[in-house]
Amino acid sequence: GREGEDRWTEGQTDIISTVEFNHTGELLATGDKGGRVVIFQREPESKTEPFSQGEYNVYSTFQSHEPEFDYLKSLEIEEKINKIRWLPQQNAAHFLLSTNDKTIKLWKVSERDKRPEGYNLKDEEGRIKDISTVTSLQVPVLKPMDLMVEVTPRRVFANAHTYHINSISVNSDYETYMSADDLRINLWNLDITDRSFNIVDIKPANMEDLTEVITAAEFHPHHCNLFVYSSSKGTLRLCDMREAALCDKHSKLFEEPEDPSARSFFSEIISSVSDVKFSHSGRYLLTRDYLTAKVWDLNMESKPLETYQVHDYLRSKLCSLYENDCIFDKFECAWNGADSVIMTGAYNNFFRMFDRNTKRDVTLEASRESSKPRAVLKPRRVCAAGGKRRKDDISVDSLDFTKKILHTAWHPTENIIAIAATNNLYIFQDKLNSEMH
């Protein structure tokens, strides 16, 4: 596991707000509340210890966004990084998109290990020489130097969102990407910053008629014309850009009919979808709402294929979770590389894994103890209030709701997971749990 660094920073600017592996899994990027992006790189496996898996070490840190002020609306625009998305690698450099509430930026991450020396018109310090002293011409040469990672902003995509951006997603055509806010989704070309194309607009003519907002959006991994977006009403809409320029009419609507007997004051809040992810195969959708994770088959709109209870013991606690605002927490979810296991976070620094084939599930904890090298993660159990307790069970009443795991990521091909627990990033690898594999 890795530790967070400057934990004393005022205003908790080092709280991690997004975690994302690149397409090979060699790099892992995190964004934080202070607008910083930290990139970790996996070290090559050592020859002397063939079984030692490459560890992730800090590769580069840079300030992606600064706090801004919108003078027209008298609003402060936070620097917090909402999402990071990597572009597939096409040459030696890496590119990533990062976004705060309003502005998306494209960054180039490249390495330099040589520097030019022997300029004719500049001296070694880079000062311009007096031309009258230049009597002969020399050919500059490239000399080796210590490896330097350079991060440069290549594009800034601004002024396209009235509301807060919650998602960005790169299309499989590698030329376009989309950004979604509460009411609209825009399509961008990666090379064009001064205009975007509005593909979804759910803003009612009269804002008093507003009944739902967009909570997340993602492109299909293989079909560049398909994308999905989720809503605060618990619905998923699959849209096809070939059908119409403005995708307000969805192609498919995925919605679970409500059970009238289970209806309560909190029904609508807890059915809001906080995250949606296509499986790597493109056949399934994984969604997360407050209490459950669901897997949907793209060919079946009427109900989810699978429903997993993340922390059902909280069902009786919704009142107090509403009072302390936890009920509005937005948990993300992730697929493993084979689409056979799903992962999502919970409270008390717990995270959950569900094996779709064996139907086994496990609760694990991201903590200092479990992050010591070669430490094995112990499964945890929570027992509902008044229930029978076993030796190591944790009672619901002793859960710490300030320690929440909202952001998780799974390596695209291996059993390596990244877990953001407030301002600590934990990386667990190899056999996660003998029960799961």
Side-chain angles (χ1 to χ4, degrees):
R2 293 209 63 86
E3 303 301 337
E5 277 122 50
D6 41 1
R7 56 187 47 263
W8 45 268
T9 329
E10 96 188 83
Q12 297 283 287
T13 55
D14 56 348
I15 290 177
I16 298 170
S17 50
T18 183
V19 192
E20 187 79 2
F21 280 102
N22 76 338
H23 293 258
T24 59
E26 289 306 295
L27 298 177
L28 170 68
T30 64
D32 70 17
K33 214 170 168 230
R36 283 185 302 265
V37 171
V38 180
I39 301 174
F40 298 87
Q41 182 186 44
R42 194 177 184 189
E43 298 295 321
E45 292 187 23
S46 74
K47 299 278 180 286
T48 49
E49 298 178 57
F51 297 110
S52 80
Q53 292 269 238
E55 278 194 7
Y56 284 83
N57 290 315
V58 174
Y59 178 62
S60 176
T61 303
F62 63 97
Q63 190 71 31
S64 167
H65 287 67
E66 302 280 357
E68 287 175 71
F69 194 77
D70 181 336
Y71 292 98
L72 280 175
K73 300 203 180 91
S74 288
L75 276 180
E76 272 201 56
I77 301 165
E78 269 195 295
E79 65 272 41
K80 173 179 159 237
I81 310 293
N82 292 342
K83 286 285 184 297
I84 291 171
R85 288 291 178 265
W86 293 89
L87 272 61
Q89 194 176 359
Q90 314 213 310
N91 53 28
H94 296 274
F95 289 86
L96 64 83
L97 289 166
S98 63
T99 186
N100 68 348
D101 284 341
K102 296 286 176 184
T103 305
I104 304 145
K105 297 184 182 182
L106 175 67
W107 296 91
K108 179 184 182 181
V109 184
S110 51
E111 293 185 355
R112 263 229 321 246
D113 59 359
K114 294 184 178 64
R115 67 166 186 269
E117 270 184 21
Y119 284 111
N120 290 287
L121 302 178
K122 287 192 285 194
D123 64 18
E124 294 307 315
E125 267 70 60
R127 292 186 295 265
I128 300 290
K129 290 183 193 171
D130 177 358
I131 293 189
S132 61
T133 64
V134 179
T135 54
S136 63
L137 287 178
Q138 56 178 348
V139 178
V141 292
L142 286 172
K143 290 275 178 73
M145 59 174 235
D146 287 344
L147 179 72
M148 216 173 76
V149 179
E150 288 185 316
V151 181
T152 45
R154 297 307 294 269
R155 308 258 189 283
V156 176
F157 305 89
N159 306 323
H161 285 277
T162 311
Y163 307 98
H164 290 174
I165 298 171
N166 55 48
S167 308
I168 46 176
S169 179
V170 180
N171 196 338
S172 59
D173 64 9
Y174 305 160
E175 282 179 24
T176 56
Y177 76 91
M178 68 176 169
S179 54
D181 68 24
D182 300 328
L183 298 178
R184 298 192 182 100
I185 301 176
N186 293 330
L187 182 67
W188 300 84
N189 185 301
L190 283 159
D191 292 325
I192 301 169
T193 57
D194 57 358
R195 62 184 184 273
S196 62
F197 191 66
N198 180 236
I199 50 175
V200 172
D201 187 344
I202 65 165
K203 183 175 188 256
N206 180 356
M207 280 295 265
E208 286 173 12
D209 300 333
L210 183 70
T211 57
E212 64 180 333
V213 293
I214 297 166
T215 54
E218 191 178 56
F219 269 119
H220 190 284
H222 316 302
H223 300 305
C224 62
N225 52 295
L226 294 179
F227 66 92
V228 68
Y229 70 92
S230 59
S231 91
S232 55
K233 278 198 158 170
T235 59
L236 302 173
R237 290 178 174 87
L238 185 75
C239 302
D240 187 343
M241 293 192 290
R242 291 176 306 192
E243 285 178 11
L246 191 63
C247 299
D248 284 356
K249 291 192 175 64
H250 49 264
S251 309
K252 289 190 174 188
L253 175 71
F254 299 84
E255 186 172 21
E256 187 163 29
E258 192 183 40
D259 173 5
S261 65
R263 177 138 189 90
S264 76
F265 170 71
F266 304 109
S267 298
E268 195 155 308
I269 303 174
I270 63 171
S271 67
S272 176
V273 175
S274 52
D275 195 19
V276 58
K277 294 269 167 60
F278 274 103
S279 61
H280 295 82
S281 68
R283 168 78 189 263
Y284 304 104
L285 287 166
L286 169 62
T287 61
R288 173 70 209 262
D289 55 39
Y290 192 61
L291 294 176
T292 68
K294 294 179 175 137
V295 173
W296 301 77
D297 186 324
L298 282 195
N299 303 326
M300 185 170 80
E301 296 160 71
S302 55
K303 61 175 193 293
L305 199 60
E306 300 150 24
T307 300
Y308 300 98
Q309 300 299 333
V310 177
H311 38 207
D312 203 44
Y313 46 79
L314 295 183
R315 212 172 276 278
S316 59
K317 293 258 176 275
L318 294 177
C319 227
S320 51
L321 292 163
Y322 177 75
E323 282 163 14
N324 63 16
D325 274 356
C326 284
I327 201 167
F328 301 108
D329 285 335
K330 293 177 170 55
F331 291 95
E332 294 169 9
C333 50
W335 296 90
N336 71 340
D339 297 336
S340 59
V341 182
I342 60 171
M343 166 173 68
T344 190
Y347 293 107
N348 210 58
N349 278 354
F350 289 168
F351 58 99
R352 303 273 282 136
M353 287 185 168
F354 301 95
D355 188 312
R356 299 180 55 212
N357 301 326
T358 64
K359 296 293 180 248
R360 285 196 178 135
D361 67 284
V362 67
T363 301
L364 301 169
E365 181 181 4
S367 67
R368 290 298 183 83
E369 289 66 57
S370 59
S371 66
K372 297 195 175 84
R374 295 189 176 53
V376 177
L377 293 181
K378 282 205 305 277
R380 301 292 194 182
R381 276 176 48 94
V382 179
C383 68
K388 270 198 184 145
R389 281 186 68 172
R390 296 196 207 156
K391 188 164 85 61
D392 288 333
D393 282 6
I394 297 104
S395 120
V396 176
D397 298 319
S398 61
L399 293 176
D400 185 341
F401 290 103
T402 62
K403 293 182 173 164
K404 46 194 93 170
I405 291 179
L406 303 175
H407 315 287
T408 61
W410 201 310
H411 186 291
T413 52
E414 296 181 42
N415 278 333
I416 298 176
I417 56 172
I419 306 281
T422 322
N423 54 0
N424 293 305
L425 175 68
Y426 294 96
I427 295 173
F428 299 113
Q429 45 184 351
D430 220 349
K431 288 278 190 286
L432 291 162
N433 191 289
S434 51
E435 278 183 45
M436 298 297 296
H437 298 278

